[in-house]
């Protein structure tokens, strides 16, 4: 049973917004928009956000508040055999974190570089060992925040970092208005081409982006919900989180695309914009160094807040499932995440660590990074909507309940299948130009998920007793 609580509702909102607003909003959103026709992509994106993300947010927050426990214990409270599902979700989140921290380290490195006036490029950056060093720094910083606890660590960080993120984002947006191609960028972003809406790939990309960027279906919001006061309106909170998340993504687009068009760059280049082409524009534009520092600072703070939320899922599960204190559980898990993440970090270093002919980071992205989220969301819906009908959760969802029971499971299955057959791109595949389609990601993901499920099944009877559930009697 979780005893920690958020210190205030503002702290709760800032922490959950921090979990949602990360690299997926500021960096990946613009890349996916550029790859999928600009404004044409916004229509399915907005539909996915309000039809899928809001109900899933409410569900996870409601389950967390109702059970007051972590992801693993929450699954076990439904049925002891479901403990394996809880460990599978938690393991997937920590594996995602292992390479997300590599990306965070890259952003951190570019921030320090531009702040110091060296103005590095991606090729020069990955030619040395700096990526590994900054990966270490990002990992230690993330673990340090989580080790301080919910109020003194996560909430305190959110109260500083998230206002900073939005202040930087607003400042960059105001600067972007002064660029000559701002109008062209706005038209690109807001002019829909309805003729492309019959493309299944755009719909799959939109739903995948919403699930990825809003941190739903990963147990993050379930964990954060366990710290929420009883009087908090979860539907209103979910709506605020969603609107803020969408707003941050769109404003980020209004920052990036004016730079892209003003300096003759290609909007379809994908996520490599952040490290390859935008730095070239920063070198030639007025106040380029200031803009670069602000941009990479924005990315770093957003990535840090999301990394903290991912680690908290594992730490909460470890502290409730073992006798470890929060500091010791954080040290153990941070060390484990670091060890698992080292191969990904080495894949873009002088070692060029690879397997099956491609960088290890790309394989992790194509496997866990692509399939962990939709599969985790399916398991959460199965356990807390289909296997058990909790009265308070049902009440919190209200009119949204039919969506999480009938519509969203179908969408998740379709999105997962689309990823498996290659209709939708993996989370960060566009980061490099040598990634290619294949069955490696599917095979690796299947092996990892079976391994985590097996370990969870073996440990199902070795955990403390979960909270008792009272089923809905309706």
């Amino acid at each position: 049973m979780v005893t920690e609580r958020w210190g205030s509702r503002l702290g709760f909102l800032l922490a959950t917004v921090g979990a949602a607003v990360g690299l997926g909003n500021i960096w990946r959103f613009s890349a996916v928009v550029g790859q999928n026709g600009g404004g044409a992509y916004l229509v399915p994106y907005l539909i996915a956000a309000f039809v899928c993300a809001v109900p899933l947010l409410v569900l996870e927050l409601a389950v967390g508040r109702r059970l007051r426990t972590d992801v693993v214990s929450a699954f076990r409270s439904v049925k002891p055999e479901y403990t394996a599902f809880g460990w599978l979700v938690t393991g997937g989140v920590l594996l995602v974190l292992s390479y997300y921290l590599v990306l965070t380290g890259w952003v951190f490195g570019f921030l320090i570089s531009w702040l110091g006036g060296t103005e590095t490029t991606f090729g020069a950056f990955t030619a040395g060992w700096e990526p590994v060093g900054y990966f270490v720094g990002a990992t230690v910083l993330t673990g340090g925040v989580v080790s301080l606890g919910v109020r003194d660590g996560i909430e305190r960080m959110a109260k500083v970092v998230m206002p900073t993120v939005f202040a930087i984002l607003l400042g960059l947006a105001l600067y972007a208005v002064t660029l000559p191609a701002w109008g062209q960028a706005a038209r690109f972003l807001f002019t829909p081409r309805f003729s492309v809406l019959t493309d299944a790939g755009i719909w799959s990309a939109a739903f995948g982006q919403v699930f990825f960027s809003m941190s739903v279906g990963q147990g993050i919001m379930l964990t954060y919900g366990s710290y929420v006061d009883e009087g908090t309106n979860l539907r209103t909170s979910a709506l605020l989180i969603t609107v803020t998340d969408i707003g941050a993504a769109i404003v980020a687009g209004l920052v990036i695309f004016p730079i892209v068009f003003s300096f003759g760059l290609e909007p379809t280049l994908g996520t490599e914009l952040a490290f390859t082409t935008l730095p070239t524009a920063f070198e030639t534009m007025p106040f380029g160094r200031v803009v670069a520092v602000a941009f990479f600072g924005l990315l770093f703070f957003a990535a840090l807040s999301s990394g903290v939320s991912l680690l908290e899922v594992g730490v909460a599960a470890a502290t409730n499932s073992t006798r470890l204190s929060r500091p010791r559980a954080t040290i153990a898990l941070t060390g484990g995440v670091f060890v698992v993440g080292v191969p990904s970090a080495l894949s873009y270093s002088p070692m060029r660590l690879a397997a099956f002919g491609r960088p290890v980071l790309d394989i992790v992205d194509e496997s866990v990074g692509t399939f962990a989220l939709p599969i985790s969301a399916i398991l959460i819906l199965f356990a807390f909507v289909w296997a058990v009908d909790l009265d308070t959760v049902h009440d919190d969802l209200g009119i949204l309940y039919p969506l999480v029971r009938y519509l969203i499971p179908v969408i998740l299955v379709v999105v997962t299948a689309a990823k498996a057959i290659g209709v939708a791109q993996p989370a960060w595949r566009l980061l490099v130009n040598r990634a290619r389609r294949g069955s490696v990601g599917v095979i690796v993901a299947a092996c990892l998920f079976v391994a985590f499920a097996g370990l969870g099944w073996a440990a199902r009877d070795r955990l403390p007793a979960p909270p008792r559930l009272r089923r809905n009697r309706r």
Side-chain angles (χ1 to χ4, degrees), residues 121-353:
T121 61
F122 188 69
F125 181 67
T126 56
W129 294 100
E130 288 87 352
V132 180
Y134 285 113
F135 163 62
V136 174
T139 303
V140 171
L141 187 57
T142 301
V145 172
V146 174
S147 69
L148 295 176
V150 173
R151 290 191 181 186
D152 294 335
I154 301 173
E155 184 174 350
R156 181 173 293 180
M157 178 210 67
K159 288 181 176 179
V160 174
V161 166
M162 293 319 298
T164 303
V165 165
F166 289 113
I168 295 174
L169 191 58
L170 179 60
L172 287 173
L174 292 175
Y175 175 81
V177 172
T178 67
L179 296 176
W182 189 89
Q184 180 184 357
R187 288 190 297 272
F188 175 77
L189 190 57
F190 294 119
T191 303
R193 289 188 290 117
F194 294 104
S195 60
V196 303
L197 294 182
T198 56
D199 184 351
I202 287 183
W203 285 91
S204 182
F207 279 94
Q209 169 66 17
V210 164
F211 291 133
F212 183 87
S213 70
M214 295 192 63
S215 298
V216 293
Q218 303 175 71
I220 294 173
M221 295 303 173
L222 190 155
T223 303
Y224 277 18
S226 67
Y227 311 136
V228 176
D229 291 335
E230 293 293 339
T232 302
N233 187 309
L234 298 185
R235 273 179 283 182
T236 300
S237 299
L239 187 61
L240 286 172
I241 295 167
T242 303
V243 170
T244 304
D245 185 86
I246 293 172
I250 291 176
V251 173
L254 290 174
V255 170
I256 292 174
F257 288 121
I259 298 174
V260 168
F261 290 118
S262 295
F263 292 88
L265 306 176
E266 289 294 330
T268 59
L269 286 175
T271 52
E272 67 184 56
L273 276 172
F275 295 128
T276 305
T277 51
L278 282 181
T280 303
F282 294 149
E283 290 178 353
T284 58
M285 66 194 302
F287 309 104
R289 181 180 172 188
V290 175
V291 175
V293 170
F295 177 72
F296 288 113
L298 170 68
L299 287 179
F300 176 67
F301 288 128
L304 176 63
S305 62
S306 294
V308 164
S309 66
L310 290 167
L311 182 58
E312 175 63 15
V313 173
V315 170
T319 54
N320 288 330
S321 302
T322 68
R323 297 180 179 180
L324 292 175
S325 64
R326 171 175 283 271
R328 290 185 177 181
T330 304
I331 291 173
L333 286 179
T334 302
V337 167
F338 171 76
V339 170
V340 174
V342 165
S344 294
L346 292 176
S347 62
Y348 287 90
S349 74
M351 184 175 289
R352 295 291 187 262
L353 188 63

Side-chain angles (χ1 to χ4, degrees), residues 6-30:
W6 300 112
S8 64
R9 293 187 184 182
L10 176 62
F12 157 66
L13 286 174
L14 288 174
T16 50
V17 168
V21 177
L23 293 179
N25 298 77
I26 300 168
W27 170 10
R28 188 176 185 270
F29 173 80
S30 296

Side-chain angles (χ1 to χ4, degrees), residues 82-144:
Y82 293 172
T83 305
F85 296 155
W87 284 118
L88 195 156
V89 172
T90 303
V93 166
L94 293 176
L95 285 176
V96 169
L97 176 63
S98 72
Y99 85 102
Y100 190 83
L101 287 174
V102 175
L103 303 178
T104 305
W106 293 355
V107 173
F108 190 22
F110 269 66
L111 170 62
I112 298 301
S113 173
W114 282 85
L115 193 61
T118 55
E119 303 176 0
T120 189
T121 61
F122 188 69
F125 181 67
T126 56
W129 294 100
E130 288 87 352
V132 180
Y134 285 113
F135 163 62
V136 174
T139 303
V140 171
L141 187 57
T142 301

